Amino acid sequence: MTVKIKVYSDYVCPFCFLAEKPLEEAIKGKDVEVEWMPFELRPYPNETLKPEGDYLQSTWKQSVYPLAEQMGISIILPKVSPQPYTHLAFEGYRYAKEQGKGNEYNDRVLRAFFQEEQDIGNIEVLTKLAGEIGLNEAEYRTALERRTYKEAHQQALKHAYEEADITAVPTFVIGNTTIGGIRSKETLEQIINEESQKETTNSSIEGMACDMDGC
């Protein structure tokens, strides 16, 4: 049976971007369904971080850049200052998902920010990115301007904050297993396989019963 994977992330989290590669490698050839879930680290009106500040400078120098080099992934601390709010990008994701391009959109937005230093809080930029993956730019832009998906996004955030009890990103929910932080391809594969076996075992016992004629 299909193993469902939910990935809670934010578009301004570098570890969420780095987590993509091992996940993509782990799910190759497997019967899985991946859904990216929103988790805004600093939702409006909270102040977002500035890349020139000491916190981001030290975090990237000590953690992000060494890890990215180890993983062989190109990444850069975007100079967009202050860092953008991500609610519009997430609302755009919901439109992309309806069009069957949710995963493509997610990847494009992450790469645009962490490899091209584009301002993913800007509607013009987001519309261009949507067009690059084959989405209807006019429809996409209208959805963002009218805040068509605002309520749905807010409900998804409430789920992450209150129901799923997510406290950091990336967080993976693979079947019934929840793990936080970047994980290796091998670790993800192991969990996927374990969850797949659980699903198979559960499905094999569904409906078993005895009646008056026997079992």
Side-chain angles (χ1 to χ4, degrees):
M1 293 180 67
T2 303
V3 175
K4 295 186 177 181
I5 301 174
K6 291 185 177 182
V7 187
Y8 292 84
S9 68
D10 195 0
Y11 291 122
V12 292
C13 166
F15 300 114
C16 295
F17 175 57
L18 296 177
E20 268 197 316
K21 184 177 180 180
L23 176 62
E24 289 174 358
E25 293 174 346
I27 65 176
K28 283 182 180 177
K30 294 181 177 60
D31 184 10
V32 301
E33 179 184 310
V34 179
E35 182 179 10
W36 293 84
M37 306 294 290
F39 183 93
E40 290 184 45
L41 290 166
R42 295 169 188 83
Y44 182 84
N46 296 286
E47 290 187 3
T48 60
L49 300 175
K50 295 184 178 181
E52 64 271 21
D54 291 339
Y55 175 75
L56 285 182
Q57 287 290 325
S58 63
T59 298
W60 276 69
K61 183 178 180 180
Q62 295 173 14
S63 303
V64 180
Y65 282 129
L67 181 57
E69 183 176 359
Q70 178 184 336
M71 298 177 71
I73 300 174
S74 174
I75 191 172
I76 189 170
L77 173 58
K79 293 185 178 67
V80 181
S81 184
Q83 289 193 328
Y85 291 106
T86 52
H87 56 273
L88 288 178
F90 277 123
E91 289 175 28
Y93 167 76
R94 302 198 75 84
Y95 169 80
K97 184 180 175 184
E98 286 186 359
Q99 307 304 312
K101 290 181 174 287
N103 289 345
E104 290 178 62
Y105 175 90
N106 189 77
D107 175 68
R108 186 67 192 96
V109 173
L110 284 167
R111 287 191 296 106
F113 189 57
F114 287 116
Q115 292 183 332
E116 302 162 11
E117 301 186 81
Q118 297 196 54
D119 183 358
I120 58 171
N122 183 293
I123 288 183
E124 297 285 350
V125 171
L126 289 172
T127 300
K128 177 177 67 68
L129 296 175
E132 289 176 6
I133 63 167
L135 292 172
N136 184 303
E137 291 190 23
E139 287 185 1
Y140 176 91
R141 185 186 182 97
T142 298
L144 263 58
E145 290 177 338
R146 294 181 178 177
R147 304 298 302 275
T148 304
Y149 298 92
K150 179 180 178 179
E151 184 176 350
H153 171 59
Q154 291 300 319
Q155 289 177 348
L157 281 183
K158 182 178 181 181
H159 158 76
Y161 296 150
E162 301 176 9
E163 297 169 17
D165 197 27
I166 304 300
T167 58
V169 288
T171 291
F172 300 86
V173 179
I174 305 173
N176 293 314
T177 300
T178 300
I179 53 171
I182 297 177
R183 299 290 168 158
S184 68
K185 167 193 171 185
E186 291 74 20
T187 296
L188 294 171
E189 279 185 324
Q190 179 181 347
I191 297 173
I192 291 170
N193 291 335
E194 289 173 353
E195 289 296 322
S196 179
Q197 290 172 4
K198 288 180 187 177
E199 291 288 345
T200 301
T201 301
N202 290 339
S203 64
S204 67
I205 64 173
E206 292 295 331
M208 296 297 183
C210 289
D211 59 21
M212 294 177 67
D213 296 322
C215 295

